[in-house]
Every structure is written in structure tokens, then in C-alpha cells.
Amino acid sequence: MSRYSVFSLFKHALSHHENWQKVWRNPTPKDVYDVVIIGGGGHGLATAYYLAKEHGITNVAVVEKGYLGGGNTARNTTILRSNYLWDEAAHLFEHSMKLWEGLSQDLNYNVMYSPRGVLNLGHNLQDMRDIERRVNANRLNGIDGEVLNAKQVKDICPLLDCSDRARYPVLGASWQARGGVARHDAVAWGFARAADSLGVDLLQQTEVIGIRRHEGAVCGVETNRGFIAAKKVACVTAGSSSLLAKMVGMELPIESHPLQACVSEPIKPILDTVVMSNAVHGYMSQSDKGDLVIGAGIDSYTGYGQRGSFPVIEHTLAAICEMFPDVRRVRMNRAWGGIVDTTPDASPIISKTHIPGLYFNCGWGTGGFKATPGSGNVFAHTIAKDEPHPLAKPFSIDRFHSGHLIDEHGAAGVAH
Amino acid sequence: MSQKNRLAQGGRIDRNKVLNFSFAGQTYTGYEGDTLASALLANGVDVVGRSFKYSRARGITGHGSEEPNGVIQLGSGDSTVPNVRATQQELYAGLVSNPVSGWPNVNFDLMSYLGKAGAMMPPGFYYKTFMYPQKLWMTYEHFIRKAAGLGKAPTAPDPDTYDKLNQHCDVMVVGGGPAGLSAAYAAAKTGARVIIADEQNEMGGHLLTFDQTINGSSGSLWLAEIVAELSAMSNVKVLCKTTVMGYFDHNFLVAIERRTDHLGERAVSGTRQRSHRIRAKQVILAAGAQERPLVFANNDVPGVMLASSVTTYIKRYAVVPGHKLIVSTANDSGYLAAIEWSKAGRHVVGIADSRTDSDGALVAEAKALGINVWFGHGVTEVKGGRRVYTASVAPISVQGDRVTGDIQNYDCDTVATSGGWSPVVHLSCHTGSRPVWSDDIIGFVPGKALQAQHCVGSIVGDHQLADCINNGLETGSKAAAQAGFGEGELLVAKPSVEWLAEGKAQALFLVPHKKNISRAPKQFVDLQNDVTAAGIELATREGFESIEHVKRYTAMGFGTDQGKLGNVNGMAIAARSLGKSIEETGTTIFRPSYTPSTFGALAGRDAGSLFDPERYTAMHQWHVDNGALFEDVGQWKRPWYYPKPGETMQQSLNRECLATRSSVGILDASTLGKIDIQGKDAREFLNRVYTNAWSKLAVGKCRYGLMLKEDGMIMDDGVTSCLADDHFILTTTTGGAANVLEWLELWHQTEWPELDVFMTSVTDHWSTMTISGPNARKVLAKVCNDIELDKDAFKFMDWRDGTVAGVTARVFRISFTGELSYEINVPANDGMFVWEAVIAAGEEFGITPYGTETMHVLRAEKGFIIVGQDTDGSVTPYDMDMGWCVGKNKEFSFIGKRSFDRSDTQKTDRKQYVGLKTKNSDEVLPEGAQAVWDPKQAIPMTMVGHVTSSYYSAVVGRSIALAVIKEGHSHKGETLYFPLADGRVIEAEICDYVFYDPKGERQNV
Amino acid sequence: MLHLFCPYCQELREEDEFHYRGQAHIVRPKDPESLSDKEWGDYLFFRHNPKGIHHEMWYHVSGCRRFFNVTRNTVTYDIYETYKIGETPAVTAKEETE
């Protein structure tokens, strides 16, 4: 892999950019791999990268039915934070956050990790109790966090209406300064390029249509390009997880729902931080291009259509106008939908299964982007060692039978 | 300088209405009927902006919603609008506009010197740089952000309002060109309800600029007649200035009507914009086609325009945007620009037609006017900074892929190009239908219809006016029939329409240059995002082979024009670079909004107090008049506490608490949910949905109940009273009322329909006031003479019918404070009257109104839980030490019971409900403080629980707190530590959660 | 926005009037205590989540307040039928009829 730097850019400029190397190969599938990862989104690519880098397993294929990073990685609102309530979730997301902090350098690809801070607003007294509880837990878990009052919130985010005028006035917020955003496409491409350079085969336009077993254990995948043998198969397919599970007769505690987002036209910078409100139900940041990036709510019904109902967008923009009345004349440029894999407790599943050699990483729901490096990292460990990474252990699928849920719904943790 | 490019006559403008306006601080004049763009061009304004990456000068290039360059800042202050397209903004008197880029000004921009370093800014350059060191990225980013963005958001809340209308129609027609109008007309004649919407200020589409003969006379006459007739029909709604921004499932469309934007910055009266939410039985897409420019070197210099835009400015606005024109085209329609230019009396240098020949009518007409036509040629490059001054015309190969001969340079100031017509497939894409490439049309056409949808006109490649009108009529009548109107027979006569002979168009996207793509001067594909042919080629060279990757890597099509001009060209260039066909490469998907939609219009009236309904109790005004502060609980406004002048919050609470404990207090409890349950199986139903038993609850008795989810976790609680053997009234938490009703209905309707039980919400029917305290009985006695109030006649947990202050009432002797307590329920209409009567009766006892905060303190002194505060969806009744409330021997396995037996709920170290007493009795623990056994341990610490409720209790004389702590029940008397964010560590002892009157004697007096 | 035909109101109404209530035809076990933790967990949390034909419950919250079933395609969002609780669907995915 030729390294990227300002010098390489200058060198290539002299030759009219005619000699850039391909970011990744477009290989033909081998007959057999040690590990086949199904799903070429951020999590799958990160899994492949860490398998190769940290566990020396390079005979790996990432099998993607469309194009790399084309699912939820390409469709999310790029928010990063680790201020989750429960210890299990907090440790997992904080593990991810630490990886974000050095990711551009690790991958030699600028993923534009931008710690511009995340505000989670409180609009009623119970919100504020929940914020106190979560921030206190975060701090004792070694995660940065502060509880702010309305005035402090206003100082950090002047655009936000913190007056009594609002239907649900802002009473305060939690603030995680290390939270922020990253460039979603770059994350997928950076992991893909780095994994490819370590020998991982990235197989795009390759759709898995079956999972083959031999004497109970997994032995490979049937694809539209033929059978690919594999000692281990790892599914990282978000909204499509149930479909893969079904191929081996499994059912998952997962429902796939449309989740929508939208962006405004690009405008000059007015918002430096990420602002999230669960009670009013809007969240917004501003991209480096100037777009206001707005997350809408999840659609109540299940769906694989990558589009949701328009009233969800209407309600979201009503919430945004309520929180930021100055932007009511700004215009929405584009709205889109993804398919999110939700679990009953709003926490992910990173798990072995009862089938030897088959692993699942799914259930990230509305909040998977922030976990990309951490998820890949602990999943790679789980696959390589055939035993859960200590941070992944609580996220086993068994918890839905034992009852040991990590219920982020029930608590203050915003599930976005 | 006064409208030097305005023709003496013609155009659809009103020359009697002269309008002053300004751009970039200069004032100009235009006419009513102008757009800002036509008025700027009339005044000879060439440069309207600077490009975002290279800061190159940019001028108007289109005439409608496709415009990528003419994006301006309209107005100022709270009513300014960023990124308004000058081509769509109608001119009004006093319009103020400014460019969104350029420093110090748009004509002289210092950033353009930086832009010359464009070679260092290929697509994705930022992914490859600014990485080292990590901490500097925020600094780099600061400057990147400063340079980004187009216009500025307003700096104060929007003064205007917006609204929504729900519309239902049989046939919805999108697009008011000849095809759409014909379709609407034929459909309307069947009696079907029809809506037709068009984004322009008047209906007509192509007919507004190109007059063909219909029925022997002018096409504009036909247009005027059909519009007049449609407008007069009561079953037709004609919506101009209305953009259908999205097409959603089950034939639901959203159209934004700009009601006042043509009149001024601010809506003088009424709403500024209206969102029509349209549910249509049938949809006809007649959105037309968008002309594509040709891509060539320096094709972004002001003076390079779409051929159809040149025609439009001349015909519709009587503006000729230059003096010397060269046309570069791959089809017949580009000739029209030259013909009109020539007819306007200005010089056409020539037409470079990439094709070898054409026998079309327009070609013949151009030749007849004496215009030079160079077949087999294209404009390969122009020169100019703020305006084109030279165009290079070269012979090109038949395949259009290379320059085959000598280049001629011609002086000119305008280059009009036409690369063909792209059907406006956007709305069809919104439904999830992938567009399909057509080699015949040289464009993507709508894919298979996924809904009750029809397409007609140039959206399917029909460019002949006769086809548009005739197919429009037939489609309209067919759609109406499918919606149940008529038999599909055409009820109107087809007009006779002049036929225009047309030569075959060529598929040309990028005009070749003598240098290859990477070395030629910039050939722009997406003008707004500065995406060039070289950039697209580089993306494919680097391995971004999916068209979605190309789009994302180069940012092609991400602008406010959503790639209306550039996308197809970009896809063609990518396809060629990958050695594939356009069909193989495919297209990206268009998403709503078709053009950007105002946030406010999508939010509508849901703003401020209407954002979410505010619910008030019948006594609300009394609370306001008596100085209450309010707390939002769900949608309700509940009195929080009633401060007296000069009191701190704590002083108010102390006063309210002590008054209640020592004499009597009164609480407005109307917001608690109330569900009336009737039927002979009502008891059995309660047995199943509550943890405890209801079989033996006698008429006249009340009982507290806990409701669980099926996972065994506490969901809601409240008191249920037996009104008759088959009639109960159940109360819920304030926030949980609606959910509980839905939950009960769910179980009844889907699992146990055989149970004879009916339920309905009666929350709003009753006003509820709780009088509490040792003097409560005395107060009640003064206003109630038909209920025997003696302690043995009306016991704790009894309820009675009677009258209070002469009003029919139900009185419940239940207590959330631990004091002698009566909950008086009266019909809501009488709530205020009874409240005031009780207050008057209580005056001699100093009756004190108290709010939710005092209620919380009083119940916490007694250790009563609040669901949602002391519980969080992860606790069982046993965790809350409420096993007494679980009917273990009930026959039916009540909801949630089975979940108690899972290993997680069985484990011994679950968090349990306890009380806490701080070591320093004046110190109040913050709610949400986390507990540890050892405050000196290293981070991450092992947390064992948290404080759920915490107050200063005046009656106990110290701070009290409630908490859930791991194995708390077996650690009473032990000390926990609470490390806080401010560095303090609070020490507290685990105790019982009842702090006051532990034997519960006070409520039984 | 979906357009749902309420089998009780006998009218097509807007999605705004309804609440989605998840997979239909899940029967509460008659004797929960006899179930293993696995069986009980399956009942509580595990769902079909098919890509294609789905039978699901909706609640006409701003209407007749009745629950009913819908057969909907989760990809196209086409609604094939709506039917009352207790009735069986006419449209089913192939494998379900096997």
C-alpha cells in the first residue's frame, strides 16, 4: 500500500493524478478462506482489518452483495459518543471511542474524526435525573461527561433555543466533549484499503444465498459467484441479519425497521457541536460541507425498503424548528432511509451461535456507526479465539433467554 | 446601465410594472414577470457567484430548478433565505439579493488564487492528507468549515408561519406542460377530482417558450383556453408555484406551495408556504425532461448556458443574454436557441453539431436564416474569466471520442449547449423504482411503476407536442377510469397539432479535447460541487467502480441542484472510463426532496405551543392565579410548587410539606390516568394484568396494583376501585395512561377476546383533588354531608358515592402521603367550582395547595415508589421489596410472572430498593448519584446502584434518599459512598425506605 | 405514508391514525410455567422479521381502538389484506403453507 500524505499528493499532482494506485484490488474469490465475513459495511470491514492486523488471520474474504460501505455506513448521521448508561455498553463504546482517536493514523486514511462534542438535552425533570445518573456512571467508568444547566448549554450552542418559549424548554444537558462525528464513507474506505493491503479479499457484487454446513459445523457460503469454502463464517449484515440466520434455521431477536435521516442545503457554519434530544426527538449536527445533518426517528413498522414514512420526517423537522427556530427558513435538500436491526433491549448482539464456526454481529439498531472500530475489534477477537472478547461477552445472544438484558431503552441512554 | 439585454418587445412580462431590485449592493430594474435570473441577465450581470472549491467565476446557466450556479442569498435578518435559485425566484419590488460566495466581492475574489492550486485538490484529497498529527485536524477542519457552505441561515427566529392541507383526489397530475394539462383535462371531464401542480409561476411548460400550431392557431391560445377551463372546474385544483417534492408509499405525495415568496421576503398575510399532503388514487407523472449540457473544457465560464435556457430567456422574458452566440449541440433542439437569437437581431456565429447530418425542421429553419452549421463539430473549449470571449470549435469523430482535425477559434460571448434531454425520473425513483437506461431516448426513463402511476410526455421520451397532448389525453382518461370515473373512452376531441420533423439525436456527453481528460483544462460535470471529468476518471482509476462510490468520492450530485444537470453526464463519463455501458454502470438513486423544501413548510403548524398539545386540568387557571410554577409531565402542565414571594424553592417545599403533615394540603391529581372497566369478566381480566389478586375486592373497596410487562419488569402502578361487581375504575401514572389503555386492549382483543370486558379512558371526564393531612376529614365534612366520614364507616382504602359542594362525587380514601387523605373526583366541568369550595372550606385550617414536588417528598418520606423514577424498566416487584403485591397463588399465570424464574431475575445480587441517610443530615444527595463501596478504588469503579429520589425532608428534619443498590436489603446499616462530578464524595448509610410513620398509623386515623 | 384499510371501520385511513404492534399470530403460551427459559425467551423476544410477506398487528388508536392484522410486503410495503383478530390470512408466503 502506498502511503498517503501531503507529499504523495504533491507528487501525483505533478503527473496530473494519472498514477494513483487502486485503493483496493478487485480479486476473484479463492476456493477457501479461513474466515468469510458476510457484509462489507463498516463493521464487516473493521472486523476483517483487525483479524488481519491483530490476529494474523489474513486469508479472509469480505463478501458484499452491493458495494463496500453502501448500507447503513453510507446512510447514518455519523455521530460518535460513548456515554452509555450501563457498564457493559459503556465499556464497549468507550473501547470504540479510543480506537477512533487514533484511527486516521492507524489506517493512513483521514476518517475526519472530529471531537466537537455531543449534547444530550434534558427537557423535563426526569430527563435531568437520567442525565445525572448516566453522567455519574460515565465518569466512574472513566468516560468524560458533564451535566450542564440551560445557560451552559446555550453558551456551548448559541443556535439552540434555551428560552422558556419552547413547548419543552431545555433544562440542561449532558456533554461529552470527546464525542463528535467522523466522515462515514471514509471509515468504510479506510478500513477496506487497510484490510486489502493486509491481504484480505474484498468481494463486491457477491451475494450470499446460502450457508453450507458439514456435520453441523459451517463449511462455507453459497454465493451468486459460486461456493466459497470457509472454516468460519461471520455475519455482519445489520438489517439483513435475520435473513442470513434463516439460512441456517435460526431466528434472531431482531426486527428490521426503516430509519430516516435528512440534510439541509449547505449553509455557512452555525452549529459546532452535535445536539441530540430524545424528548423532543430531533438531533442535528453540521457537516464540514455545511449541510445540517438531521437524524429522524425510526419507523414503527418493519421494512426492508430503505425508505420510511414521510410523517416521520415532518415530525423531525418540527422538532428541529422547535429546538432551532432560526433555521425554519433553511431548506431540506435530501432525505433517505436505511434499514436498522433493532433488538428488544437496544443493545447489540456480538456472539457465537450454537452452530460451530458461525458468528453474528448485529442488532446495533440506530447507533452502530459510532461502534464501528470497537465492534470490528472485539468481533475479530471473538472469531479468532472462538470465544467472546471480554467486552463482547455480555452481548451474547443467550441473554434473551437468561433475561440478562442491557436495557438502554429503559434507561436514559439515547439509543441513537 | 439599464436592461441592456432586454428586447423592445415580447416576453411574458408586464412592462408597465417596473420593479427595482438589488444584487451585491447594486440596484437594477426589471419587470413583473421576471425571475431574478432573467432580470440580472437583462441588466448584463455576468458573474453571480464563485465556485466552492476553485473559486471560479460563475454565471447563470439554466432557467429553472436545475440551476447550479445562480444560488443567492435573498433578503437579510430574520427573513433571509439562503441558497435561493435566482432562476426560480420571481422578481418583486425592492428585492434584495447577494451572492453567497466571493471575497472581497464576487467579481474579484482572492480565494480564486487559492483555487488555482486546484491540482492539489483532486477528489478525496482530504482523505489522504491532514492526518498528522491527529490533534491538528481540528485546526485544519476549522478552516475547511469556514470555506464550506453556500448561504447564511437567518440569525433570528422565522417571523412567518406555514401550514398543511390534507388533500384527497382521484387523479394527481405532476407537471403542467402540454402532456400534464391534457391528462388533467381528460381526467377532469370524467368528473374525477383532479389536482395538477407545477413548480413554475404559470402552467404551460414547454409551450411558454415554443409556440407550435394547435388546431390551426397559436399554441399559446390553446394553452390559455385549457388553463382557463381547468381553473373553472369545481373538481379540479390547479396549483402553480407548487413543487411536488416527494412521492411516497401508497400514492402519497407532498407538494410545497410557495404562496408569498413572489411578493416579498416576508409573508404580509397568511402563511408563507403550504405543504399539501396528497393522497391520490392515480398519479400521472408529466414532469417533463431536463436538458443536459455538453461537457467541455472551461464549460463553467459565465456565458456558457443551456440552449433551452437561452431560448427561454429570449421568448419568455425578452432577454438576450449576450451578443455573439455559438451553439454546440448533439440534437435538433439546440438549434432553437440560435434561431431565436438570430430572430432577436443578434449575431449567431454558428452551430457546432456533433452529428454528421440532420433533416429536422429546426435545422432547416436555421439554415434558412443563414446561420452557419458545422456538422461533425463540437465546442471543445472556451476561454474567458468573468465571461466567455472565445470558443474553440473542432471536428470530432463520429463516435464523439476524439478531435479529428484543426481547431478554429471564434470570438463569442455566449455558448449554448444541448446534449439531449434527461427525463425527470426523480419522483418515480422516490417510490423505489429504479430508472432504466434507454438508448433510443439517450436517457434514463422511469422504471416499472410500483404504484398506481402513469407517465406521459417527455418523461418517457415523447418530445413531439402532438404525442404529448394526445397521449396526455389518453392517459388522463385511462387514469380516471382506473380511479372509477368513466370507461376510459376519451370524452374530449384530440386537437390537430403541427408535427415537427426531427433528426436523430446523438449520444454525446463529453466533447473531446485534444488533450486527454486528465490534462485538458477543467471539464465540469457538476458545477456546484466543482466535479470534473478528470475527477470522475480519477475515482474510477483508484478503484471506485460502483457509480455510488464515484458519486460519494467526487461529491457529484450532492449539491442543491441534486445533479439535475450533471448526473447523467457523470455516469456516462464514469461508464466510459470503466469500459462499460451506461446501462451496466447504472445510476444513483434520486431521493426526496425534488428541490429543497423549507423546514418550516414541512413542520407546518407544529411549532411552539402547538408542537405538542398542552393539556391542562380544569383547575389550571387557579394554579396560575396562585403563582404556581409548572412541570411538564407528558403533555400535561402540572403545578410543581407554589412559591410565595421571597421564598426559595426549598422554603416553599418545606412550607407545603409541613402544612400537609400538620394540618391539611390539597393537590390537583386530575392528570392521573383513569380507565373505566366493565363486564362480567372484569375481575378475571384484572387478575391477569395485575400482579395481585382481585377476586375478593368488595364493592366500595380500593386496592393498589402493580402492572408488569411480560418480561417481569414493572410497567405501571395505581389504585383500582370496585364500583360494582362488574365495574372497576383503574388509575395509572400520568405519563402512562395512554400506553396502559392500549396495553389492556391488546391483551383483551388479541389474547382473551372471550372475556366479557370493556374499557374506556375517563381521564378527562373527572377532576381529581386530593386533600391530605390530619384535618382532611374536617375540611371534607364542611362540603360533604351525604357521606358518613366516621373513621369506621369510611375506612382507609374505601370509596364512597356522594356529593361534594353539592356536586356528584366519588370520594376515595386512599393516601399517597401517608396522612389521612381523601381523593375527591367530580365531573371535570365542575372541577374548578368544587376546588374553590374545598379551598374555602379549608381556609380555617390553613389549607395549603401543593404541587408535584411536595407530593414527591411526602411519598418519599413514606417510601412509596414512583414508577419511572424509582424504577426504570429493569426492576421487578421483588427488587422493589413489593413481593407483598404479588399474588403467587393466583390460578392464572399473570403477565410477567413466568419471567421471575429466569436466571437473571433469580440471581441474588440484583439491585434492591432501599433508603439512604447521608452522614451529614443536611446534605442532599443528587438524584442520579452512583454508589460504590470503596471510593478509593481505581477508575473504572465498580458501581453498585444509584440514587433514584432524594430530598430534604422538613418533617424528618434531614435529607432522605431512595436508591436501588445491589443486594441492598441485606446491607442495611452499611455505608456507601457517592463520588460526584465536582469531586465531593458523599457518605450515606443504607436504611429502610420508610422514613416517617413506619407503622402507617397516620393514614388510618 | 401507508394507507391502511381498517376491517372494523371499513375504510382506508392514514397511517397517522394507527400504531404498529409487531408480528401477528404470536399466541401466549397456555402454561408459561411449563416452558423452559429458552422457550419463554423465544416467545418474548424472537421474531420472524421476513423480507417479503409479513403478518403484523396494527391498532387503530385514533379511530375505533381495535387491533387487527395486516398482511404486508416488507420490501414494497404493499398491503395485500387486512383482517380481524382471530381470522386467518388469505395471503401467505410459500414456505408458511408447506
Side-chain angles (χ1 to χ4, degrees), chain A residues 3-6 9-10 13 15-18 20-24 26 67-68 74-75 85-87 91 101 104-105 108-110 112-116 123-126 129 132-133 136-137 139-142 165 167-169 183-186 189 204 264-272 280 286-290 292 294 306-308 310-311 314 317-322 325-336 401-404 407 410-411, chain B residues 78-84 100 119-120 122 126-132 134 137-138 141 145 148-151 153-158 160 162 164 245 248-249 254 265 272 277 430-431 516 518-519 529 538 540-546 548-549 552-553 558-560 562 591-593 596-600 602-603 606 608 611-614 631-632 634-635 637 640 868-869 872-874 902-904 907 911 927-930 939-941 943 946 981:
Chain A
R3 284 186 66 78
Y4 289 154
S5 67
V6 71
L9 191 65
F10 183 71
S15 57
H16 302 268
H17 301 291
E18 287 166 350
W20 284 103
Q21 209 181 33
K22 282 204 187 303
V23 276
W24 49 69
N26 191 1
Y67 58 96
L68 298 176
R75 291 160 202 277
L85 173 71
W86 301 106
D87 294 346
H91 291 314
E101 286 166 340
S104 293
Q105 293 71 34
N108 179 233
Y109 205 84
N110 190 353
M112 303 188 196
Y113 161 64
S114 178
R116 47 190 59 257
H123 298 268
N124 57 53
L125 299 175
Q126 188 57 39
R129 287 180 200 111
E132 278 280 357
R133 176 185 175 192
N136 280 316
R139 294 177 68 96
L140 299 185
N141 269 323
R165 180 212 62 86
R167 172 67 182 85
Y168 293 113
R183 170 84 191 144
H184 53 359
D185 289 332
W189 299 341
Q204 300 186 73
S264 75
E265 300 181 280
I267 51 176
K268 293 274 180 268
I270 51 170
L271 180 63
D272 288 335
V280 172
Q286 187 171 20
S287 76
D288 286 353
K289 200 163 166 285
L292 298 175
I294 296 165
Q306 291 194 333
R307 61 185 194 283
F310 193 67
E314 292 179 301
L317 289 174
I320 293 299
C321 292
E322 181 67 2
D326 292 9
V327 304
R328 210 143 61 118
R329 294 172 90 90
V330 173
R331 296 181 297 189
M332 181 188 88
N333 200 16
R334 203 166 57 249
W336 65 91
H401 293 124
S402 70
H404 197 117
D407 196 353
Chain B
D78 59 2
S79 56
T80 189
V81 188
N83 307 348
V84 170
V100 297
M120 285 292 282
Y126 31 81
Y127 301 134
K128 297 172 178 167
T129 49
F130 306 130
M131 275 174 281
Y132 309 97
Q134 163 66 33
W137 166 246
M138 291 302 279
E141 194 183 33
R145 287 172 79 86
L150 296 169
T155 49
D158 188 347
D160 286 330
Y162 304 82
K164 295 182 188 179
M245 56 74 63
F248 306 96
D249 287 301
V254 175
E265 222 169 291
R272 179 177 166 237
R277 305 166 92 239
H430 294 178
T431 66
N516 60 26
S518 53
R519 293 174 186 240
N529 282 327
L538 173 61
T540 61
R541 184 182 300 133
E542 287 196 76
F544 293 97
E545 295 179 6
S546 155
E548 280 286 349
H549 276 162
R552 288 168 174 279
Y553 195 59
F558 277 105
T560 63
Q562 286 218 35
R591 302 189 181 282
S593 180
S597 306
T598 307
F599 283 6
L602 299 179
D606 298 350
F611 173 70
D612 202 25
E614 289 181 356
E631 178 189 2
D632 285 312
Q635 292 169 328
K637 293 281 181 190
W640 188 19
Q869 177 170 343
D872 65 1
S874 68
R902 296 175 300 166
S903 63
D904 185 64
K907 70 181 183 186
K911 289 178 186 167
E927 289 167 344
Q930 294 282 348
I939 279 177
M941 293 193 188
M943 289 169 263
H946 74 281

Side-chain angles (χ1 to χ4, degrees), chain B residues 839-862:
Chain B
I839 295 275
E843 204 173 346
E844 63 176 290
F845 306 101
I847 193 166
T848 300
Y850 65 90
T852 51
E853 194 65 22
T854 288
M855 175 188 84
H856 281 198
V857 179
L858 296 171
R859 65 87 206 181
E861 288 164 351
K862 289 294 300 170

Side-chain angles (χ1 to χ4, degrees), chain A residues 238-259:
Chain A
S240 300
S241 299
S242 298
L243 309 175
L244 286 161
K246 205 170 174 186
M247 291 176 187
V248 290
M250 275 174 69
E251 215 161 64
L252 294 174
I254 285 207
E255 290 187 308
S256 299
H257 289 266
L259 174 69

Side-chain angles (χ1 to χ4, degrees), chain C residues 60-83:
Chain C
H60 198 175
V61 59
S62 303
C64 63
R65 260 178 46 208
R66 302 293 290 272
F67 286 82
F68 60 96
N69 293 326
V70 174
T71 306
R72 185 176 61 93
N73 186 310
T74 59
V75 182
T76 63
Y77 303 167
D78 285 339
I79 289 172
Y80 301 122
E81 60 182 332
T82 57
Y83 54 101

Side-chain angles (χ1 to χ4, degrees), chain B residues 150-170:
Chain B
L150 296 169
K152 295 189 183 91
T155 49
D158 188 347
D160 286 330
T161 53
Y162 304 82
D163 64 5
K164 295 182 188 179
L165 272 184
N166 290 314
Q167 306 270 19
H168 299 268
C169 67
D170 299 303

Side-chain angles (χ1 to χ4, degrees), chain B residues 375-429:
Chain B
F375 281 112
H377 280 68
V379 171
T380 61
E381 182 178 346
V382 297
K383 289 201 167 62
R386 291 195 279 273
R387 180 83 195 206
V388 171
Y389 62 81
T390 294
S392 305
V393 177
I396 59 175
S397 63
V398 178
Q399 296 77 24
D401 58 352
R402 64 199 157 81
V403 173
T404 56
D406 289 343
I407 293 162
Q408 288 286 330
N409 290 322
Y410 295 95
D411 286 356
C412 64
D413 63 2
T414 308
V415 173
T417 78
S418 179
W421 293 82
S422 299
V424 176
V425 297
H426 303 63
L427 291 175
S428 145
C429 282

Side-chain angles (χ1 to χ4, degrees), chain B residues 561-619:
Chain B
D561 55 334
Q562 286 218 35
K564 290 188 177 64
L565 295 188
N567 272 13
V568 172
N569 285 332
M571 290 162 199
I573 291 164
R576 195 175 85 175
S577 176
L578 291 165
K580 292 182 179 171
S581 68
I582 299 177
E583 199 173 355
E584 288 167 328
T585 311
T587 175
T588 58
I589 291 294
F590 295 105
R591 302 189 181 282
S593 180
Y594 173 65
T595 56
S597 306
T598 307
F599 283 6
L602 299 179
R605 291 280 189 191
D606 298 350
S609 62
L610 298 180
F611 173 70
D612 202 25
E614 289 181 356
R615 295 178 78 180
Y616 305 111
T617 73
M619 292 83 92

